[in-house]
Amino acid sequence: MELAEFLRQTQAEVQELLNERMDMPDEPYPFPESVFTEVMMQHMSDIGMTFEPVVCHFDAKVSKANVRLSGYALSDEVDQLDMFVSLYNGSGELQSLPLSEATKAADYCLRFLSMCAEKKLSGKMDESSEAYGFAATVEAAYPSLDQVRVYVLTDRVLNAKSKQFQSREIQGKTIKLEVMDIERLYRHTSAGKPRDELVVNFEEVAGEALPCVWVPGQMTEYDYAMTVIPGEALRFIYEKYGQRILEANVRSFLQVTGKVNKGIRDTLKENPERFMAYNNGLVIVADEAHLGKTSDGGPGITWLKGMQIVNGGQTTASLYFTKKKDKGVDLSSVKVPAKLIVLRSSDSDSEDSLVRNISKYANSQNKVNDSDLEAHHELHKQLEHFANTTYCPDGVSRWFYERSAGSYRTLLIREGSTPAKKKALQKAIPTSRKVTKPDMAKFLNIWDQKPAVVSQGAQKNFLKFMATLPEFRWESGEETPTLADFKRVIAKGILFKAATKLIRPKFQAFQANITAYTLALVSLKLGDRMNLDMIWNNQDISNHLKEQISIWSVEVQKYLHGSSSGRMISEWAKNPKCWDYIQAVQYSDSIEGIPECN
């Protein structure tokens, strides 16, 4: 698929979401730019470029200055912040974005941030604004923020050599500026390997090429090298790319609480020169490598494209966080051994399998569970099989379980070979009936009355669900899902989607948290009587149940605000004590005649 076709497909996705939102009763007109922002931010979150995103529109003159914000993503520790500002054109034809226009949009967003840093914004905002709580949070948290990035999102193609602007400084903090345009999104999505954009030049970050022993793979699907990376260079790479450099790793960073990570920290502080002797090193995969010479004339690696650390994520992140928390730690004498595998296969499936197995077999510092392999876990294969072979009660339409990221889009490309076929396919399996792995975990954890876990974000909730899977029992009583269990998962999804439609127009902010807590309350009070099979058969919920959700959502919203003690609701909702409070207070009685509960 070419870039022009990808643009038209993206515009169609935005339009479909717009139409869906406009069909929601009593909801204000959904602005196309906000829907586009939602699509772009969610993609960036799915591939690990940002945290759990929140659409948050603010466009005003404050103290005679233009201030803009389209959305944000804040880390759980409230120490890393991404801000987004959108420039949406809506055209189905490729158009260029002048650098001056992108710079102006970034400046408007930077002004929002600057006024927060000076604690001069929230006091000038209407407290009913959806951006008010965010502004107040940034004002309080700004001194402790370690990383701040501003992204310009656009459906045009930036007319510039680089998608990165020169960094700015606000009150002593470096603010990174980047553009995510339609071309960059296309490269991420179509290639299926967002790591392609990661180019690490070791002559810049390490001062010279990395010394290496190079073994060309003349008869294999990869080239091989042994090398050593300076600790400070590795720290800088993690600081620049964060979790993106660990995308192919089967684990997230476990913090410095585990025995292995504490050992890394203590070695860095007490015996940095012994680090290479004590540490097992890294395993790195890359799509391309360039060889040059080191300062002594030996062979060296000058740069890597698509660099991914598949083993050694703990080591890499520990270097960064140890230095971050103790500025006195000296990494100049730290060297980290590394094994490099440069992929040569032209078969993407074969390459993915190789990377997955390298990651699986190389990780030995901490136990790797089968659940860490995510998409290739048997659970997701079973759910995908049920989705592909089970029709809705109308005998025509189906639900789509997206076991692998991007597989829905691939289906449309592969089977929608003509406009008529594509239209028929989208009618039978619309995007509204696509369920991702994080969606599935969200539906189940909400029904299991874990709204605080769900509020931690899609990725964390998914990982926590997978971690508890060995003890999970489906409603059939089986350890693995049956067809009936699949239908009930979808029923919970239908319930969630219906609640989202009801709750979104009722509240200006924190709709996701209100939805999660309201449905957890529905499960608490009505779950034992709820006929999920009826929801599957009707592919909708009754008007009585919709009325009940609407009533309780107002009460949940009131209690969330009342118990937050000035904290941003999205942060308070992550605390288990929040659910303890919400489920303990008094609510109006459930209404009579809910068909699903008879």
Side-chain angles (χ1 to χ4, degrees):
M1 179 173 57
E2 300 297 326
L3 176 58
E5 173 60 23
F6 176 78
L7 170 64
R8 287 190 287 271
Q9 192 166 308
T10 301
Q11 300 293 26
E13 182 180 352
V14 172
Q15 189 59 50
E16 186 173 346
L17 282 173
L18 276 170
N19 294 338
E20 183 180 317
R21 301 279 165 78
M22 284 191 284
D23 288 340
M24 296 180 188
D26 303 321
E27 180 169 3
Y29 178 75
F31 290 100
E33 185 171 281
S34 291
V35 175
F36 170 75
T37 301
E38 181 180 347
V39 169
M40 293 288 280
M41 292 195 307
Q42 190 57 56
H43 172 76
M44 294 172 68
S45 175
D46 289 344
I47 63 174
M49 286 185 69
T50 190
F51 313 101
E52 188 69 13
V54 178
V55 175
C56 186
H57 179 75
F58 185 76
D59 190 352
K61 277 189 177 292
V62 181
S63 300
K64 299 182 179 180
N66 290 310
V67 179
R68 282 196 66 193
L69 177 73
S70 300
Y72 66 87
L74 192 62
S75 67
D76 289 339
E77 295 76 20
V78 196
D79 61 350
Q80 298 179 69
L81 169 65
D82 291 337
M83 298 173 65
F84 305 89
V85 59
S86 291
L87 293 172
Y88 182 59
N89 186 57
S91 173
E93 302 298 326
L94 287 171
Q95 297 187 7
S96 64
L97 174 69
L99 179 60
S100 59
E101 190 176 344
T103 303
K104 183 186 294 185
D107 286 340
Y108 291 166
C109 192
L110 281 167
R111 198 166 291 141
F112 185 107
L113 179 65
S114 178
M115 294 186 72
C116 287
E118 297 169 0
K119 301 185 186 300
K120 293 180 179 179
L121 185 57
S122 65
K124 298 177 181 179
M125 296 173 69
D126 187 331
E127 292 190 15
S128 64
S129 167
E130 61 179 330
Y132 173 79
F134 171 65
T137 297
V138 176
E139 288 181 355
Y142 192 80
S144 60
L145 290 175
D146 293 321
Q147 174 180 279
V148 183
R149 298 179 295 190
V150 170
Y151 286 95
V152 177
L153 309 178
T154 180
D155 58 338
R156 288 180 274 174
V157 178
L158 179 66
N159 189 13
K161 291 182 179 180
S162 174
K163 310 295 184 185
Q164 294 184 334
F165 297 164
Q166 184 174 355
S167 298
R168 309 286 181 86
E169 187 169 299
I170 296 178
Q171 292 201 357
K173 294 187 187 296
T174 299
I175 314 301
K176 300 176 182 178
L177 304 178
E178 297 188 43
V179 174
M180 175 65 80
D181 65 358
I182 195 67
E183 183 180 42
R184 188 176 181 187
L185 180 65
Y186 169 69
R187 288 205 300 268
H188 277 286
T189 306
S190 61
K193 297 185 296 184
R195 66 176 185 266
D196 284 352
E197 287 195 344
L198 298 180
V199 178
V200 179
N201 188 324
F202 291 103
E203 291 180 319
E204 294 179 358
V205 302
E208 66 169 326
L210 302 181
C212 73
V213 176
W214 183 263
V215 183
Q218 296 176 348
M219 302 297 292
T220 63
E221 54 192 332
Y222 60 88
D223 294 322
Y224 181 91
M226 293 295 295
T227 186
V228 175
I229 305 176
E232 179 57 34
L234 195 57
R235 184 208 65 79
F236 175 81
I237 290 169
Y238 185 84
E239 178 182 48
K240 182 175 182 179
Y241 295 111
Q243 289 296 319
R244 292 175 64 197
I245 204 75
L246 309 178
E247 183 187 324
N249 202 311
V250 298
R251 285 192 308 267
S252 298
F253 177 53
L254 304 176
Q255 301 297 334
V256 288
T257 53
K259 185 183 296 183
V260 172
N261 295 325
K262 285 182 178 179
I264 293 173
R265 178 198 62 192
D266 292 344
T267 301
L268 290 172
K269 289 182 175 182
E270 298 167 11
N271 299 292
E273 70 284 349
R274 295 185 178 181
F275 192 86
M276 189 163 68
Y278 291 169
N279 192 266
N280 289 336
L282 312 181
V283 178
I284 297 171
V285 297
D287 296 313
E288 294 180 33
H290 186 269
L291 296 180
K293 297 291 185 181
T294 61
S295 57
D296 62 4
I301 300 166
T302 57
W303 56 259
L304 294 175
K305 180 181 179 182
M307 174 179 169
Q308 285 282 291
I309 298 171
V310 298
N311 172 248
Q314 314 301 305
T315 296
T316 305
S318 292
L319 283 168
Y320 170 77
F321 283 101
T322 299
K323 178 71 173 180
K324 171 186 165 184
K325 293 178 180 179
D326 187 346
K327 303 299 183 184
V329 172
D330 183 9
L331 300 181
S332 62
S333 60
V334 173
K335 306 292 183 184
V336 184
K339 177 171 73 174
L340 170 65
I341 297 167
V342 181
L343 305 169
R344 302 174 60 198
S345 175
S346 58
D347 183 341
S348 60
D349 289 338
S350 175
E351 180 181 295
D352 288 343
S353 177
L354 176 62
V355 172
R356 187 166 63 250
N357 286 329
I358 291 170
S359 181
K360 178 179 179 181
Y361 298 129
N363 278 274
S364 58
Q365 289 183 327
N366 292 290
K367 184 176 182 288
V368 179
N369 299 311
D370 288 340
S371 60
D372 292 329
L373 299 176
E374 300 180 352
H376 304 279
H377 192 284
E378 191 61 31
L379 165 66
H380 306 302
K381 292 181 180 179
Q382 288 176 303
L383 293 177
E384 181 185 52
H385 170 72
F386 287 138
N388 290 340
T389 57
T390 305
Y391 284 89
C392 296
D394 63 9
V396 177
S397 56
R398 292 194 283 119
W399 284 76
F400 186 89
Y401 187 73
E402 193 169 57
R403 180 172 67 86
S404 301
S407 58
Y408 178 79
R409 189 184 295 270
T410 301
L411 172 73
L412 294 180
I413 296 170
R414 186 179 66 246
E415 298 187 19
S417 54
T418 67
K421 288 182 178 180
K422 184 176 180 181
K423 185 176 180 180
L425 193 60
Q426 289 177 315
K427 184 177 180 180
I429 316 174
T431 54
S432 59
R433 283 185 172 159
K434 180 184 76 173
V435 176
T436 65
K437 299 188 299 295
D439 287 338
M440 176 274 301
K442 177 167 59 181
F443 302 155
L444 292 178
N445 269 352
I446 286 177
W447 198 249
D448 207 22
Q449 299 167 30
K450 297 176 180 178
V453 176
V454 172
S455 294
Q456 291 177 17
Q459 298 303 316
K460 285 200 171 185
N461 176 68
F462 173 72
L463 291 175
K464 289 188 177 182
F465 172 80
M466 293 300 293
T468 61
L469 194 59
E471 294 79 40
F472 188 85
R473 290 296 177 269
W474 299 86
E475 293 184 16
S476 63
E478 300 294 329
E479 294 183 11
T480 57
T482 64
L483 177 57
D485 290 319
F486 166 75
K487 292 180 177 180
R488 288 164 188 160
V489 170
I490 298 301
K492 293 167 186 175
I494 293 169
L495 181 60
F496 176 85
K497 289 172 181 285
T500 300
K501 287 184 178 182
L502 290 167
I503 291 171
R504 187 187 295 273
K506 292 174 71 68
F507 309 103
Q508 287 192 325
F510 313 116
Q511 299 101 326
N513 305 115
I514 297 168
T515 301
Y517 273 80
T518 299
L519 289 182
L521 183 69
V522 169
S523 173
L524 176 69
K525 293 185 172 294
L526 305 177
D528 290 343
R529 296 186 286 141
M530 186 70 68
N531 186 341
L532 294 170
D533 295 334
M534 179 182 291
I535 296 176
W536 164 263
N537 290 331
N538 294 332
Q539 291 293 296
D540 198 359
I541 63 174
S542 66
N543 289 333
H544 282 75
L545 183 52
K546 290 176 182 177
E547 181 183 353
Q548 184 64 77
I549 290 171
S550 183
I551 292 170
W552 279 344
S553 70
V554 174
E555 296 172 347
V556 166
Q557 190 263 358
K558 179 182 71 175
Y559 290 134
L560 281 172
H561 275 276
S563 62
S564 65
S565 302
R567 288 167 286 190
M568 194 157 70
I569 299 301
S570 57
E571 295 306 309
W572 167 231
K574 298 173 184 177
N575 192 321
K577 293 182 180 178
C578 181
W579 175 235
D580 291 341
Y581 177 87
I582 293 299
Q583 65 178 316
V585 293
Q586 293 295 315
Y587 295 89
S588 56
D589 293 336
S590 59
I591 61 178
E592 298 292 332
I594 298 176
E596 292 89 343
C597 295
N598 290 336

